[in-house]
Amino acid sequence: MNLPPTGRTAEELLAEVARLKEHDLPVRGGQVTAYVYDTGRAEVNDAAARAYFEMLEVNCLDPTAFPSVVEMERQVVGAVADELGGGHGIFTSGGTESIMLAVKAARDMGRRGRPDTGRPDVDRPHTGRPNIVVPVTAHPAFHKAAHYLGVEVTAVPVDLETYRVRAPDVAAAIDDDTILVVASAPSYPQGVIDPIEEVAALAAAAGVPCHVDACVGGWLLPWLRAAGAAVPPFDLSVPGVTSISCDLHKFGYAPKGASVVLFADPAMRRKAYFASAAWPGYTIINATVQSSRSAGPLGGAWATLQALGREGYLELGRATLEATRRLREGIAAIPGLRVLGEPESALVAFAGDGIDVFVLADEARGRGWFLQPQLSYAGIPANLHITVTGVTLAGVEAMLKVIADSAAAARERGPALLPEGLVELVADMDLEALDDATFAELAASVGVDLRQGAGQPQMAVVNAVLDALPAASREAVLVRFLSVVYGS
Ligand SMILES: *Cc1c(COP(=O)(O)O)cnc(C)c1O
């Protein structure tokens, strides 16, 4: 029924693509403060899109068949290594894949594997399941990697003033089965940098590798530093740091599907690779989770780096720094709002006192701006997140006005009201046993119409329900939500 009986023309298809995208958030212009990273420079997007298109049908599966892939990857990874303290890299599809490979490499180094030799430490045989020690503010990609790779997660709380993990807490969480310690530069939720030097030093002292998640900051912090910001050392030049992830599809401004993971030790990079000759087909040697894979994202990332150059990134860094400063000060001056911690990069989170931030987000959405809701977790209050990018500066006063107006409106409206007993009902419910239709009815009871084409729901109620639930119930609800959205 979805496949047309006969082929259609490109014009017809493009018209339909445009129609399908009608209700999407705009990817350019700076009014969407998450998901998209905009330089504000059309010529850069254009160069990236054209190179992406040129490389679209090239398959990264076999570098001997397509030497362009090797050369481009060497250049892209080399550029990132030059800025981040050297190392031996892999170009991946995104932060999640970079992190997946870092965790796999750490796992396969063996328990207490020594990064310098790659040999497991036979004097300390493992006793239980391997674990990774991560701050609660670390990206869920670590939980995902652990889930996929059969590794446990030991989560460490953060300081509730600074939102940084404390090194002694990390030290206390390391045990004989710890295969990797993680710190973020910066962590996404509040945009603050964990004490990388301290954490890496204590990991090294315990003989455990240390991964720095610089997915969001890796291609931003160097430029902020060059623009005059005080950025502490965070990369592979820090003793004890054994790997680092850096997404080019964030502050590299490359099209999606572009990240780099760097390992200090080539032996550890080899542990990220996978080879198989266990079948009668072509031999498999993969550097990434994916096997057949378009070289489009690689071409797009390569072209973006080349089109911007050092000077381009520096200018974007300067604009980002200035916009972030104005935003922080502007938000702090709005009655009832407060910035969480001291954002050190271009990520700003703010909470409300007497203002329901989820209602604020809906108000802003109604005014054409998307602010990203973050649920309360581990003692951190519910808040809204803004990713400042190169394009933000031009519209920062307009953004502040929308936030101020939306805050006033949210105060007026009061908090989102939940139907009585709903949270308890959902918390106690066996969501596995529920069918999609019943779930959709439940959603309808809070005013959320999940049917296709029903349009944008008022998210404040949804967020309020999620916010009131424990994490495990939140996850069950989200999985259910996705399966209803995609239908049977
Ligand atoms: C975005 C992000 C990730 C995950 O990256 P994806 O590209 O979305 O897979 C990991 N860590 C941090 C800090 C991030 O900001």
Side-chain angles (χ1 to χ4, degrees), residues 129-391:
R129 264 178 94 184
N131 68 65
I132 57 176
V133 171
V134 308
V136 291
T137 48
H139 194 277
F142 291 98
H143 296 265
K144 187 175 185 178
H147 179 74
Y148 280 29
L149 294 167
V151 170
E152 301 280 337
V153 175
T154 305
V156 180
V158 294
D159 183 303
L160 293 178
E161 289 287 320
T162 64
Y163 303 101
R164 296 188 192 101
V165 77
R166 285 172 293 230
D169 294 345
V170 175
I174 296 175
D175 65 22
D176 284 346
D177 297 316
T178 302
I179 55 156
L180 185 67
V181 167
V182 173
S184 309
S187 54
Y188 183 87
Q190 281 77 39
V192 298
I193 303 172
D194 285 323
I196 304 295
E197 289 180 292
E198 283 176 74
V199 170
L202 69 86
V208 178
C210 174
H211 181 82
V212 172
D213 182 9
C215 278
V216 71
W219 208 244
L220 174 66
L221 295 175
W223 316 112
L224 297 187
R225 183 188 279 144
V231 174
F234 68 94
D235 60 22
L236 284 177
S237 62
V238 175
V241 174
T242 52
S243 57
I244 186 167
S245 45
C246 168
D247 291 353
L248 293 174
H249 64 202
K250 288 180 180 158
F251 285 100
Y253 296 101
K256 291 283 182 281
S259 174
V260 168
V261 58
L262 294 170
F263 296 93
D265 178 357
M268 196 165 187
R269 179 176 68 171
R270 285 198 294 276
K271 293 294 183 188
Y273 292 166
F274 175 82
S276 180
W279 78 321
Y282 56 88
T283 47
I284 289 273
I285 168 62
N286 295 152
T288 64
V289 176
Q290 296 175 316
S291 203
S292 278
R293 164 170 70 113
S294 168
L298 178 61
W302 177 84
T304 309
L305 291 173
Q306 299 291 326
L308 277 163
R310 175 172 296 276
E311 195 180 83
Y313 283 110
L314 235 165
E315 273 170 34
L316 288 165
R318 271 194 218 105
T320 309
L321 200 60
E322 174 62 10
T324 307
R325 188 185 61 76
R326 306 243 291 258
L327 199 62
R328 280 172 58 177
E329 293 173 4
I331 291 171
I334 298 171
L337 299 185
R338 73 191 151 92
V339 174
L340 297 180
E342 289 177 20
E344 292 168 292
S345 51
L347 311 174
V348 178
F350 63 93
D353 294 313
I355 292 173
D356 182 329
V357 287
F358 301 141
V359 175
L360 193 166
D362 280 356
E363 287 288 335
R365 186 79 181 261
R367 290 166 171 79
W369 289 70
F370 178 85
L371 308 175
Q372 190 176 47
Q374 299 192 128
L375 305 179
S376 61
Y377 188 71
I380 303 174
N383 61 86
L384 298 180
H385 186 279
I386 294 173
T387 301
V388 174
T389 69
V391 81

Side-chain angles (χ1 to χ4, degrees), residues 92-106:
T92 76
S93 65
T96 299
E97 192 174 30
S98 287
I99 287 166
M100 186 81 69
L101 295 177
V103 174
K104 176 191 169 332

